[in-house]
Amino acid sequence: MPMQLHGSCQCGGVEYSVLSHTPVPYQLCACGICRKVGGYSGSVNLGGISASLKIKKGEELIKKYTATKDQGTPQATRCSSQRSFCSECSTMLWLWDAQWPELIHPFASSVDTELPAPPRMVCVMGGSKPDWVRWPEGDKSVHEFYGETSLEGWHRKNGLFVE
């Protein structure tokens, strides 16, 4: 059975739950979008089953943001993903992408459930990271773009996929 995740925003206005086969917060993205919406070094997203998302409280507070990739350049394009956040306190809640409608990606920072510790961090989009941003301490692999495997692939490879 997938792991039940409970999450909320900082002000307590939004509460949600979602089921996840991939609950280990192992991948830190340092792309410009994740750093701007997630804070200092970026965002850590989990994988969830979109059909299982239940908004328990505060649906009226949830707003959506569609980011622009390569903002301020001639290559600027709208992303296919939407980031949902609390309009009261600005907590990032989850990301959903029309390319993978069966998935939803809760921001680990909004999850209240105790999550399993990753055996090793995977740091992605290093080519976007400014020099002043430091990767986390400890065992990690660093990639200029994305890692070798998907969220599901990483969880399966490491024996952490929750059936």
Side-chain angles (χ1 to χ4, degrees):
M1 172 110 188
M3 184 175 180
Q4 175 106 6
L5 304 178
H6 297 278
S8 63
C9 64
Q10 195 281 322
C11 73
V14 177
E15 294 178 4
Y16 71 92
S17 67
V18 66
L19 295 174
S20 176
H21 293 292
T22 55
V24 180
Y26 76 94
Q27 183 171 265
L28 172 63
C29 181
C31 79
I33 297 168
C34 286
R35 282 186 291 103
K36 297 274 184 177
V37 302
Y40 171 71
S41 62
S43 298
V44 176
N45 293 82
L46 307 172
I49 303 165
S50 63
S52 74
L53 178 67
K54 293 190 178 23
I55 300 166
K56 298 176 174 183
K57 179 180 166 188
E59 187 165 4
E60 72 283 359
L61 295 175
I62 299 171
K63 301 291 184 215
K64 294 179 180 173
Y65 172 68
T66 302
T68 300
K69 186 176 171 181
D70 298 321
Q71 180 76 20
T73 72
Q75 298 82 14
T77 56
R78 300 279 283 173
C79 295
S80 58
S81 58
Q82 293 181 327
R83 289 164 173 82
S84 293
F85 65 97
C86 173
S87 62
E88 196 65 30
C89 67
S90 74
T91 298
M92 297 306 295
L93 300 166
W94 58 78
L95 177 142
W96 179 84
D97 195 315
Q99 293 181 35
W100 301 281
E102 70 282 4
L103 300 175
I104 196 159
H105 300 284
F107 283 74
S109 56
S110 76
V111 174
D112 300 318
T113 303
E114 187 69 29
L115 297 171
R120 180 177 208 222
M121 290 297 294
V122 175
C123 303
V124 300
M125 297 304 289
S128 298
K129 181 185 77 58
D131 289 339
W132 56 265
V133 171
R134 299 289 181 242
W135 291 121
E137 296 291 321
D139 193 16
K140 65 186 157 294
S141 62
V142 175
H143 305 271
E144 285 299 297
F145 296 104
Y146 294 103
E148 303 92 33
T149 59
S150 65
L151 284 174
E152 181 176 336
W154 184 91
H155 278 76
R156 288 189 184 279
K157 176 182 167 187
N158 288 279
L160 299 168
F161 188 83
V162 182
E163 290 292 340

